Amino acid sequence: MKRKLTAAIGIAGMMVSIAACGGEGDGGSDKGADAKELTVWLTVDAQNNWPELVKAADDAVKKKHPGLKINHEYYGWPDKNAKLDAVLATDKVPDVVEMGNTEMLGYMVKGAFAPLDQGRFDNSDAWLDGLKASVTYEGKTYGVPYYAGGRVANWRKDIAASVGVKTPPKTYKELTDALDKIQKKQGDKFNAWYQPTRDWYAAMSFVYDAGGAIATESGGQWKASLSSPESLKGLKEFKNVVDKYMHGDKTKDESDRYIVYGQGKSAMIFAAAWEGATAEDPKNDKSGKLKGNLENFVMPGPSGKNMPVFLGGSDLAVPVKSDAQDLAAEWINAFAGSSGQKGLMAKGNLPNNKTDLATLKNDPKTAVPATAAEANWFVPMAPGWGQVEKAQILQTMLQSIGTGKKSVEAAAKEADAAIDKVINTK
């Protein structure tokens, strides 16, 4: 499913009275254990794709609390944060809210969410590393991972077969050898690998694969590290991919990648797992050659290991102003706990924990995204990360690198300086 994974920012105004509302505990509060009403805000993904899982959670909680009324509101991703910010500035807030996982940080920094007792949630000791990071700030847990979506490689089997390649590559060398043959056969106007230059999720996978990082923390302070030798190695390989295989507009981001893929002038993408299937939908497959011809595989990294991927997804949080925090936590566990995860997996989502993820590796239909998700990374959990995203510092750096406007070293150094100005600012 499609969403903008953008860190939440611009919420200072809504937080004026939050500091007086408590929330300084360790998540063991029984606040609202006897509440008679619960309000849950979810996105339309739940409303459209798994309403039966919402009902099952409602029924489980109501069984324990006869007479409890549970209200639901659903919103779309584009207008979600504006609506949430407005209501959090009042005293009548929802008790459970769904957040994109990179949106969590800005709200945790501002104190918008109540700390939770991680131990009361199913499989919390096995939450996927990237998802656990998204709900953790300064040693406390402020949310529960709901589900995840990873990134995989996807290519056209017919084009690969045309150069004698019948099976997906297992190593990076096998991949680039195949792409070299495809590029030579198809010509310089074809994208052997359509890799949008501004796609920082993909670029940072190269950085983390090389042992680098966007930023590192020491003594409570964050410092950008895109200029480190390891990060530069990853960025240089990303540039190599863009230079050799990407012959489209080098100022584009990934937002319409599945549409471009559907035009039939590309052999491969490294993208969210849903994008291949969306590209081959008749509405998007303008070539008429993609249906049944696309194949997902685990992206091999230059390091010799599987490429670490960014895990997108959703978290569930409890606003600190909620008068039903205990019941809210109970509902979250009923919805995103063991039973709920099975239902979410049946709908094609990745689970929030390693235990359930391991079961998907045994099914050919889910083995690729499940295996790919095992190696993952997440954004720096720094107080000013939202400002880094808002300023599009990484995208600007990557465009400068991809278009040749600046050298990798110069662009990385400039990005580090811009990140360092804001990354420690609350």
Side-chain angles (χ1 to χ4, degrees), residues 1 3 38-62 64 70-75 77 95-99 120-123 127 144-148 313-318 326-347 349-353 356:
M1 56 202 62
R3 71 181 57 178
L38 194 68
T39 299
V40 177
W41 282 18
L42 300 171
T43 69
V44 292
D45 298 331
Q47 183 181 35
N48 296 335
N49 300 315
W50 44 86
E52 71 277 14
L53 302 184
V54 177
K55 184 178 184 302
D58 288 354
D59 291 345
V61 175
K62 286 179 179 179
K64 292 183 180 180
I70 302 180
N71 308 304
H72 290 280
E73 286 196 38
Y74 296 93
Y75 43 73
W77 287 101
D95 304 297
V96 177
V97 294
E98 177 181 348
M99 304 293 298
R120 72 182 294 179
F121 300 101
D122 295 348
N123 295 309
W127 283 344
V144 175
Y146 170 12
Y147 67 93
S314 281
D315 298 325
L316 299 168
V318 179
D326 189 77
L327 274 178
E330 189 174 332
W331 188 91
I332 288 173
N333 196 47
F335 184 55
S338 296
S339 177
Q341 290 301 312
K342 289 181 174 56
L344 288 166
M345 287 190 292
K347 296 290 185 177
N349 300 294
L350 293 178
N352 66 5
N353 67 90
D356 286 327

Coordinates of all heavy atoms in Angstrom, one line a residue, residues 1 3 38-62 64 70-75 77 95-99 120-123 127 144-148 313-318 326-347 349-353 356:
M1 N 0.8 -1.2 0.0 CA 0.0 0.0 0.0 C 0.9 1.2 0.0 O 2.0 1.2 0.4 CB -1.0 0.0 1.2 CG -0.3 -0.2 2.5 SD -1.5 -0.8 3.7 CE -1.8 -2.4 3.1
R3 N 2.1 5.1 0.8 CA 2.0 6.2 1.8 C 3.2 7.0 1.8 O 4.2 6.6 1.3 CB 1.8 5.6 3.2 CG 3.1 4.9 3.7 CD 2.8 4.4 5.1 NE 1.7 3.4 5.0 CZ 1.3 2.7 6.1 NH1 1.9 2.9 7.2 NH2 0.4 1.9 6.0
L38 N -14.2 4.1 24.6 CA -12.8 4.0 24.0 C -13.0 4.6 22.5 O -13.8 4.1 21.8 CB -12.3 2.6 24.0 CG -10.8 2.4 23.7 CD1 -10.0 3.0 24.8 CD2 -10.5 0.9 23.5
T39 N -12.1 5.5 22.1 CA -12.1 6.0 20.8 C -10.8 5.6 20.1 O -9.7 5.9 20.6 CB -12.2 7.5 20.8 OG1 -13.5 7.9 21.4 CG2 -12.2 8.1 19.3
V40 N -10.9 4.9 18.9 CA -9.8 4.4 18.2 C -9.7 5.1 16.8 O -10.7 5.0 16.1 CB -9.9 2.9 18.0 CG1 -8.7 2.4 17.2 CG2 -9.9 2.2 19.4
W41 N -8.6 5.7 16.5 CA -8.4 6.3 15.1 C -7.4 5.4 14.4 O -6.3 5.2 14.8 CB -7.8 7.7 15.3 CG -8.8 8.7 15.6 CD1 -10.0 8.6 16.2 CD2 -8.6 10.1 15.5 NE1 -10.6 9.8 16.4 CE2 -9.8 10.8 15.9 CE3 -7.6 10.9 15.0 CZ2 -9.9 12.2 15.9 CZ3 -7.7 12.3 15.0 CH2 -8.9 12.9 15.4
L42 N -7.9 4.9 13.2 CA -7.1 4.1 12.3 C -7.1 4.7 10.9 O -8.0 5.5 10.6 CB -7.5 2.7 12.3 CG -7.5 1.9 13.6 CD1 -8.2 0.5 13.4 CD2 -6.1 1.7 14.1
T43 N -6.2 4.3 10.0 CA -6.3 4.8 8.7 C -7.3 3.9 7.9 O -7.7 2.9 8.3 CB -5.0 4.7 8.0 OG1 -4.6 3.4 7.8 CG2 -3.9 5.5 8.8
V44 N -7.6 4.4 6.7 CA -8.6 3.6 5.9 C -8.1 2.3 5.4 O -8.9 1.5 4.9 CB -9.0 4.5 4.6 CG1 -9.8 5.7 5.0 CG2 -7.7 4.9 3.8
D45 N -6.8 2.0 5.6 CA -6.2 0.7 5.3 C -7.0 -0.4 6.1 O -7.4 -1.4 5.5 CB -4.7 0.6 5.6 CG -3.9 1.6 4.7 OD1 -4.4 1.9 3.6 OD2 -2.9 2.1 5.2
A46 N -7.2 -0.1 7.3 CA -7.9 -1.1 8.2 C -9.3 -1.2 7.8 O -9.9 -2.3 7.8 CB -7.7 -0.7 9.7
Q47 N -9.9 0.0 7.5 CA -11.4 0.0 7.2 C -11.6 -0.8 5.9 O -12.6 -1.5 5.8 CB -11.8 1.4 7.1 CG -13.3 1.6 6.8 CD -13.6 3.1 6.6 OE1 -12.9 3.9 6.1 NE2 -14.8 3.4 7.1
N48 N -10.7 -0.6 4.9 CA -11.0 -1.2 3.6 C -10.5 -2.7 3.5 O -11.0 -3.4 2.7 CB -10.3 -0.4 2.5 CG -10.9 1.0 2.4 OD1 -12.1 1.2 2.8 ND2 -10.1 2.0 2.0
N49 N -9.4 -3.0 4.2 CA -8.7 -4.2 4.0 C -8.9 -5.3 5.1 O -8.8 -6.5 4.8 CB -7.2 -4.0 3.7 CG -7.0 -3.1 2.5 OD1 -7.6 -3.2 1.5 ND2 -6.1 -2.1 2.7
W50 N -9.1 -4.9 6.3 CA -9.2 -5.9 7.4 C -10.2 -5.4 8.5 O -9.8 -5.5 9.6 CB -7.9 -6.4 7.9 CG -6.9 -5.3 8.2 CD1 -6.8 -4.5 9.4 CD2 -5.8 -4.8 7.4 NE1 -5.7 -3.6 9.3 CE2 -5.1 -3.8 8.1 CE3 -5.4 -5.2 6.1 CZ2 -4.0 -3.1 7.5 CZ3 -4.3 -4.5 5.6 CH2 -3.6 -3.5 6.3
P51 N -11.4 -5.1 8.1 CA -12.3 -4.6 9.1 C -12.7 -5.7 10.1 O -13.0 -5.4 11.3 CB -13.6 -4.2 8.3 CG -13.4 -4.9 7.0 CD -12.0 -5.0 6.7
E52 N -12.6 -7.0 9.7 CA -12.9 -8.1 10.6 C -11.9 -8.2 11.7 O -12.2 -8.7 12.8 CB -13.0 -9.4 9.8 CG -11.7 -10.0 9.3 CD -11.2 -9.3 8.0 OE1 -11.7 -8.3 7.6 OE2 -10.3 -9.9 7.3
L53 N -10.7 -7.8 11.5 CA -9.7 -7.8 12.6 C -10.0 -6.7 13.6 O -9.7 -6.9 14.8 CB -8.3 -7.6 12.0 CG -7.8 -8.6 10.9 CD1 -6.4 -8.3 10.5 CD2 -8.0 -10.0 11.5
V54 N -10.5 -5.6 13.1 CA -10.9 -4.5 14.0 C -12.0 -5.0 14.9 O -12.0 -4.8 16.1 CB -11.3 -3.2 13.3 CG1 -11.8 -2.2 14.2 CG2 -10.1 -2.7 12.4
K55 N -13.0 -5.6 14.3 CA -14.1 -6.2 15.0 C -13.7 -7.2 16.0 O -14.2 -7.3 17.2 CB -15.2 -6.7 14.1 CG -16.5 -7.2 14.8 CD -17.5 -7.7 13.8 CE -18.8 -8.1 14.5 NZ -18.6 -9.1 15.6
A56 N -12.8 -8.1 15.7 CA -12.3 -9.1 16.6 C -11.7 -8.5 17.8 O -11.9 -9.0 18.9 CB -11.4 -10.0 15.8
A57 N -10.9 -7.4 17.6 CA -10.3 -6.8 18.8 C -11.4 -6.1 19.6 O -11.3 -6.2 20.9 CB -9.3 -5.7 18.3
D58 N -12.3 -5.5 19.0 CA -13.4 -4.9 19.8 C -14.1 -6.0 20.6 O -14.4 -5.8 21.8 CB -14.4 -4.3 18.8 CG -13.9 -3.0 18.2 OD1 -12.9 -2.5 18.5 OD2 -14.7 -2.5 17.3
D59 N -14.5 -7.1 20.0 CA -15.2 -8.1 20.7 C -14.4 -8.7 21.9 O -15.0 -9.0 22.9 CB -15.5 -9.3 19.7 CG -16.6 -8.8 18.6 OD1 -17.2 -7.8 18.8 OD2 -16.7 -9.6 17.6
A60 N -13.1 -8.8 21.7 CA -12.3 -9.4 22.7 C -12.2 -8.5 23.9 O -12.3 -8.9 25.1 CB -10.9 -9.7 22.2
V61 N -12.1 -7.2 23.7 CA -12.1 -6.2 24.8 C -13.4 -6.1 25.5 O -13.5 -6.0 26.7 CB -11.5 -4.9 24.3 CG1 -11.5 -3.8 25.4 CG2 -10.1 -5.0 23.8
K62 N -14.5 -6.0 24.6 CA -15.8 -5.9 25.2 C -16.2 -7.1 26.1 O -17.0 -6.9 27.0 CB -16.8 -5.7 24.1 CG -16.8 -4.3 23.4 CD -17.8 -4.2 22.3 CE -17.8 -2.9 21.6 NZ -18.8 -2.8 20.5
K64 N -14.4 -8.7 28.1 CA -13.8 -8.5 29.4 C -14.4 -7.3 30.1 O -14.3 -7.2 31.3 CB -12.3 -8.2 29.3 CG -11.5 -9.5 28.8 CD -10.0 -9.2 28.8 CE -9.2 -10.3 28.4 NZ -7.7 -10.1 28.3
I70 N -17.0 1.3 22.0 CA -15.8 1.5 21.3 C -16.2 2.3 20.0 O -17.0 1.8 19.2 CB -15.0 0.2 20.9 CG1 -14.7 -0.5 22.2 CG2 -13.8 0.6 20.1 CD1 -13.9 -1.8 22.0
N71 N -15.6 3.5 19.8 CA -15.9 4.3 18.7 C -14.7 4.2 17.7 O -13.5 4.2 18.2 CB -16.1 5.8 19.1 CG -17.1 5.9 20.1 OD1 -18.3 5.5 20.0 ND2 -16.8 6.5 21.3
H72 N -14.9 4.2 16.4 CA -13.8 4.2 15.4 C -14.0 5.4 14.5 O -15.1 5.7 14.0 CB -13.9 2.9 14.6 CG -13.5 1.7 15.4 ND1 -12.2 1.4 15.7 CD2 -14.2 0.7 16.0 CE1 -12.1 0.3 16.4 NE2 -13.4 -0.1 16.6
E73 N -12.8 6.0 14.2 CA -12.8 7.0 13.1 C -11.6 6.5 12.2 O -10.6 6.0 12.6 CB -12.5 8.4 13.7 CG -13.7 9.0 14.3 CD -13.5 10.5 14.5 OE1 -12.9 11.1 13.6 OE2 -13.9 11.0 15.6
Y74 N -11.8 6.8 10.9 CA -10.8 6.4 9.9 C -10.4 7.6 9.1 O -11.3 8.4 8.7 CB -11.4 5.3 9.0 CG -11.7 4.0 9.7 CD1 -13.0 3.8 10.2 CD2 -10.8 3.0 9.9 CE1 -13.3 2.6 10.9 CE2 -11.0 1.9 10.6 CZ -12.3 1.6 11.0 OH -12.6 0.5 11.7
Y75 N -9.2 7.7 8.8 CA -8.7 8.8 8.0 C -7.7 8.4 6.9 O -7.1 7.3 7.0 CB -8.1 9.9 8.9 CG -7.2 9.4 10.0 CD1 -5.9 8.9 9.7 CD2 -7.6 9.4 11.3 CE1 -5.1 8.4 10.7 CE2 -6.7 8.9 12.3 CZ -5.5 8.4 12.0 OH -4.6 7.9 13.0
W77 N -4.1 9.0 4.7 CA -2.8 9.4 5.0 C -2.5 10.9 4.8 O -1.9 11.5 5.6 CB -1.8 8.5 4.3 CG -1.7 7.1 4.9 CD1 -2.3 6.0 4.4 CD2 -1.1 6.8 6.1 NE1 -2.0 4.9 5.3 CE2 -1.3 5.4 6.3 CE3 -0.3 7.4 7.1 CZ2 -0.8 4.7 7.4 CZ3 0.2 6.8 8.2 CH2 0.0 5.4 8.3
D95 N -8.2 7.7 22.0 CA -7.4 6.9 23.0 C -6.3 6.0 22.3 O -5.3 5.6 22.9 CB -8.3 6.0 23.8 CG -9.4 6.8 24.5 OD1 -9.0 7.6 25.3 OD2 -10.6 6.7 24.1
V96 N -6.6 5.7 21.0 CA -5.6 5.0 20.2 C -5.5 5.7 18.9 O -6.5 6.0 18.3 CB -6.0 3.5 20.0 CG1 -5.0 2.8 19.1 CG2 -6.2 2.8 21.3
V97 N -4.2 5.9 18.4 CA -4.0 6.5 17.1 C -3.0 5.6 16.3 O -2.1 5.1 16.9 CB -3.6 7.9 17.2 CG1 -4.6 8.8 17.8 CG2 -2.3 8.0 18.0
E98 N -3.3 5.5 15.0 CA -2.3 4.9 14.1 C -1.4 5.9 13.5 O -1.8 7.0 13.1 CB -3.0 4.1 13.0 CG -2.1 3.5 12.0 CD -2.8 2.8 10.8 OE1 -4.0 2.6 10.9 OE2 -2.1 2.4 9.8
M99 N -0.1 5.6 13.5 CA 0.9 6.5 13.0 C 1.8 5.8 12.0 O 2.1 4.6 12.2 CB 1.8 7.0 14.2 CG 1.1 7.7 15.3 SD 0.3 9.2 14.9 CE 1.8 10.2 14.4
R120 N 3.7 -5.8 28.4 CA 2.3 -6.3 28.3 C 1.8 -6.6 26.9 O 0.6 -7.0 26.7 CB 1.3 -5.3 29.0 CG 1.1 -4.0 28.2 CD 0.2 -3.0 29.0 NE -1.1 -3.5 29.1 CZ -2.1 -2.9 29.8 NH1 -1.9 -1.7 30.3 NH2 -3.3 -3.4 29.9
F121 N 2.7 -6.5 25.9 CA 2.3 -6.7 24.5 C 2.9 -7.9 24.0 O 4.1 -8.2 24.2 CB 2.7 -5.5 23.7 CG 2.0 -4.2 24.1 CD1 2.7 -3.3 24.9 CD2 0.7 -4.0 23.9 CE1 2.1 -2.1 25.4 CE2 0.0 -2.8 24.3 CZ 0.8 -1.9 25.1
D122 N 2.1 -8.7 23.3 CA 2.6 -10.0 22.7 C 3.8 -9.8 21.9 O 3.9 -8.9 21.0 CB 1.4 -10.6 21.9 CG 0.2 -11.0 22.7 OD1 0.3 -11.0 23.9 OD2 -0.8 -11.3 22.1
N123 N 4.7 -10.7 22.0 CA 5.9 -10.8 21.1 C 6.8 -9.6 21.2 O 7.6 -9.3 20.3 CB 5.5 -11.1 19.7 CG 4.9 -12.4 19.5 OD1 5.4 -13.4 19.9 ND2 3.7 -12.4 18.8
W127 N 10.1 -8.0 18.6 CA 9.7 -7.0 17.6 C 10.9 -6.8 16.7 O 12.1 -6.8 17.1 CB 9.4 -5.6 18.3 CG 8.1 -5.6 18.9 CD1 7.0 -6.4 18.8 CD2 7.6 -4.6 19.9 NE1 5.9 -6.0 19.5 CE2 6.3 -4.9 20.2 CE3 8.2 -3.5 20.5 CZ2 5.6 -4.1 21.1 CZ3 7.5 -2.7 21.4 CH2 6.2 -3.0 21.7
V144 N 3.3 0.7 19.8 CA 3.4 -0.7 19.5 C 3.4 -0.9 18.0 O 2.5 -0.4 17.3 CB 2.2 -1.5 20.1 CG1 2.2 -2.9 19.7 CG2 2.2 -1.4 21.6
P145 N 4.4 -1.6 17.5 CA 4.4 -1.8 16.0 C 3.2 -2.6 15.6 O 2.7 -3.5 16.3 CB 5.7 -2.7 15.8 CG 6.6 -2.3 17.0 CD 5.6 -2.1 18.1
Y146 N 2.6 -2.2 14.5 CA 1.3 -2.7 14.1 C 1.6 -3.7 12.9 O 1.2 -4.9 13.0 CB 0.5 -1.5 13.7 CG -0.8 -1.6 12.9 CD1 -1.5 -2.8 12.8 CD2 -1.4 -0.5 12.4 CE1 -2.7 -2.9 12.1 CE2 -2.6 -0.5 11.7 CZ -3.3 -1.7 11.6 OH -4.5 -1.7 10.9
Y147 N 2.2 -3.3 11.9 CA 2.6 -4.2 10.8 C 3.7 -3.5 10.0 O 3.9 -2.3 10.2 CB 1.4 -4.6 9.9 CG 0.8 -3.4 9.1 CD1 1.3 -3.2 7.8 CD2 -0.2 -2.6 9.6 CE1 0.7 -2.1 7.1 CE2 -0.7 -1.6 8.9 CZ -0.2 -1.3 7.6 OH -0.8 -0.3 6.9
A148 N 4.3 -4.3 9.1 CA 5.4 -3.7 8.3 C 5.3 -4.0 6.8 O 4.6 -4.9 6.4 CB 6.7 -4.3 8.9
G313 N 5.9 1.1 7.6 CA 4.8 0.4 8.4 C 4.1 1.4 9.3 O 4.3 2.6 9.2
S314 N 3.3 0.8 10.2 CA 2.5 1.6 11.1 C 2.7 1.2 12.5 O 3.1 0.0 12.8 CB 1.0 1.4 10.8 OG 0.6 2.2 9.7
D315 N 2.5 2.2 13.4 CA 2.6 1.9 14.9 C 1.2 2.4 15.5 O 0.5 3.2 14.9 CB 3.7 2.7 15.5 CG 5.1 2.3 15.0 OD1 5.3 1.1 14.7 OD2 5.9 3.2 14.9
L316 N 1.0 1.9 16.7 CA -0.2 2.3 17.4 C 0.2 3.0 18.7 O 1.1 2.5 19.4 CB -1.1 1.1 17.7 CG -1.7 0.4 16.5 CD1 -2.3 -0.9 16.9 CD2 -2.7 1.3 15.8
A317 N -0.3 4.2 19.0 CA 0.1 4.9 20.2 C -1.1 5.4 21.0 O -2.2 5.4 20.4 CB 1.0 6.1 19.7
V318 N -0.8 5.8 22.2 CA -1.9 6.2 23.1 C -1.6 7.7 23.5 O -0.5 8.0 24.1 CB -1.9 5.4 24.4 CG1 -3.0 5.9 25.3 CG2 -2.2 3.9 24.1
D326 N -5.2 2.6 30.0 CA -5.1 1.2 30.3 C -5.9 0.4 29.3 O -5.4 -0.6 28.7 CB -5.5 0.9 31.7 CG -5.2 -0.5 32.1 OD1 -4.1 -0.8 32.4 OD2 -6.2 -1.4 32.1
L327 N -7.2 0.8 29.1 CA -8.0 0.1 28.1 C -7.5 0.2 26.7 O -7.6 -0.7 25.9 CB -9.5 0.7 28.2 CG -10.4 0.0 29.2 CD1 -11.7 0.7 29.1 CD2 -10.6 -1.4 29.0
A328 N -6.9 1.4 26.4 CA -6.3 1.6 25.1 C -5.2 0.6 24.8 O -5.1 0.0 23.7 CB -5.8 3.0 25.0
A329 N -4.3 0.4 25.8 CA -3.2 -0.6 25.7 C -3.8 -2.0 25.5 O -3.3 -2.8 24.7 CB -2.3 -0.5 26.9
E330 N -4.9 -2.3 26.2 CA -5.5 -3.6 26.1 C -6.1 -3.8 24.7 O -5.9 -4.9 24.1 CB -6.6 -3.7 27.1 CG -7.2 -5.1 27.3 CD -8.2 -5.2 28.4 OE1 -8.1 -4.5 29.4 OE2 -9.1 -6.1 28.3
W331 N -6.7 -2.8 24.1 CA -7.2 -2.9 22.8 C -6.1 -3.1 21.8 O -6.2 -3.9 20.9 CB -8.1 -1.6 22.4 CG -8.8 -1.8 21.1 CD1 -10.0 -2.3 20.9 CD2 -8.2 -1.5 19.8 NE1 -10.3 -2.3 19.6 CE2 -9.3 -1.9 18.9 CE3 -7.0 -1.0 19.3 CZ2 -9.1 -1.8 17.5 CZ3 -6.9 -0.9 18.0 CH2 -7.9 -1.3 17.0
I332 N -5.0 -2.3 21.9 CA -3.9 -2.4 21.0 C -3.4 -3.9 21.0 O -3.1 -4.4 19.9 CB -2.8 -1.4 21.4 CG1 -3.2 0.0 21.1 CG2 -1.5 -1.8 20.7 CD1 -2.2 1.1 21.6
N333 N -3.2 -4.5 22.2 CA -2.7 -5.9 22.2 C -3.7 -6.8 21.6 O -3.3 -7.8 20.9 CB -2.4 -6.3 23.6 CG -1.5 -7.5 23.7 OD1 -0.5 -7.6 22.9 ND2 -1.9 -8.5 24.5
A334 N -5.0 -6.6 21.8 CA -6.0 -7.4 21.1 C -5.9 -7.3 19.6 O -6.2 -8.3 18.9 CB -7.4 -7.1 21.6
F335 N -5.6 -6.1 19.1 CA -5.6 -5.9 17.7 C -4.3 -6.3 17.0 O -4.3 -6.9 15.9 CB -5.9 -4.4 17.4 CG -6.0 -4.0 16.0 CD1 -6.9 -4.6 15.1 CD2 -5.2 -3.0 15.5 CE1 -7.0 -4.3 13.8 CE2 -5.3 -2.6 14.2 CZ -6.2 -3.2 13.3
A336 N -3.2 -5.9 17.7 CA -1.9 -6.1 17.1 C -1.1 -7.2 17.8 O 0.1 -7.3 17.5 CB -1.1 -4.8 17.1
G337 N -1.7 -8.0 18.6 CA -1.0 -9.1 19.3 C -1.0 -10.3 18.5 O -1.1 -10.3 17.2
S338 N -0.8 -11.4 19.1 CA -0.6 -12.7 18.4 C -1.7 -13.0 17.4 O -1.4 -13.4 16.2 CB -0.4 -13.9 19.4 OG 0.7 -13.7 20.2
S339 N -2.9 -12.9 17.8 CA -4.0 -13.3 16.9 C -4.1 -12.3 15.8 O -4.3 -12.7 14.6 CB -5.3 -13.3 17.7 OG -6.4 -13.5 16.9
G340 N -4.0 -11.0 16.1 CA -4.1 -10.0 15.0 C -3.0 -10.1 14.0 O -3.2 -9.9 12.8
Q341 N -1.8 -10.5 14.4 CA -0.7 -10.6 13.5 C -0.9 -11.7 12.5 O -0.6 -11.6 11.3 CB 0.6 -10.9 14.2 CG 1.2 -9.7 15.0 CD 1.4 -8.5 14.2 OE1 2.1 -8.6 13.2 NE2 0.9 -7.3 14.6
K342 N -1.5 -12.8 12.9 CA -1.9 -13.9 12.0 C -2.9 -13.3 10.9 O -2.8 -13.7 9.7 CB -2.5 -15.1 12.7 CG -1.5 -15.8 13.6 CD -2.1 -17.0 14.3 CE -1.0 -17.9 15.0 NZ -0.2 -17.1 15.9
G343 N -3.8 -12.5 11.3 CA -4.8 -12.0 10.4 C -4.1 -11.0 9.4 O -4.4 -11.0 8.2
L344 N -3.2 -10.2 10.0 CA -2.5 -9.2 9.1 C -1.6 -9.9 8.1 O -1.5 -9.5 6.9 CB -1.7 -8.3 10.0 CG -2.5 -7.3 10.8 CD1 -1.7 -6.6 11.9 CD2 -3.1 -6.2 9.9
M345 N -1.0 -11.0 8.5 CA -0.1 -11.8 7.6 C -1.0 -12.4 6.5 O -0.5 -12.4 5.3 CB 0.6 -12.8 8.3 CG 1.8 -12.3 9.2 SD 2.9 -13.6 9.9 CE 1.8 -14.4 11.0
A346 N -2.2 -12.8 6.8 CA -3.0 -13.4 5.8 C -3.5 -12.4 4.8 O -3.8 -12.8 3.7 CB -4.3 -14.0 6.5
K347 N -3.4 -11.1 5.2 CA -3.7 -10.1 4.2 C -2.5 -9.6 3.4 O -2.6 -8.6 2.6 CB -4.3 -8.9 5.0 CG -5.6 -9.2 5.7 CD -6.8 -9.4 4.7 CE -8.1 -9.6 5.5 NZ -9.2 -9.7 4.5
N349 N 0.5 -8.6 4.7 CA 1.5 -7.7 5.5 C 2.6 -8.5 6.1 O 2.4 -9.7 6.4 CB 0.7 -7.0 6.5 CG -0.4 -6.1 6.0 OD1 -0.2 -5.2 5.2 ND2 -1.7 -6.5 6.3
L350 N 3.7 -7.9 6.4 CA 4.7 -8.5 7.2 C 4.3 -8.2 8.7 O 3.8 -7.2 9.1 CB 6.1 -7.8 6.9 CG 6.7 -8.1 5.6 CD1 8.0 -7.3 5.4 CD2 6.9 -9.6 5.3
P351 N 4.6 -9.2 9.6 CA 4.3 -9.1 11.0 C 5.2 -8.1 11.7 O 6.3 -7.7 11.1 CB 4.4 -10.5 11.5 CG 5.5 -11.1 10.6 CD 5.3 -10.5 9.3
N352 N 4.9 -7.8 12.9 CA 5.8 -6.9 13.7 C 6.9 -7.5 14.4 O 7.7 -6.9 15.1 CB 4.9 -6.0 14.7 CG 4.3 -6.9 15.8 OD1 4.5 -8.1 15.9 ND2 3.4 -6.3 16.6
N353 N 7.0 -8.9 14.3 CA 8.0 -9.6 15.1 C 8.7 -10.7 14.4 O 8.2 -11.2 13.4 CB 7.3 -10.2 16.4 CG 6.3 -11.3 16.0 OD1 6.6 -12.4 16.0 ND2 5.0 -10.9 15.8
D356 N 7.0 -14.5 14.1 CA 6.0 -14.7 13.1 C 6.7 -14.6 11.7 O 6.3 -15.3 10.7 CB 4.8 -13.7 13.2 CG 3.9 -14.0 14.3 OD1 3.7 -15.2 14.6 OD2 3.3 -13.1 14.9

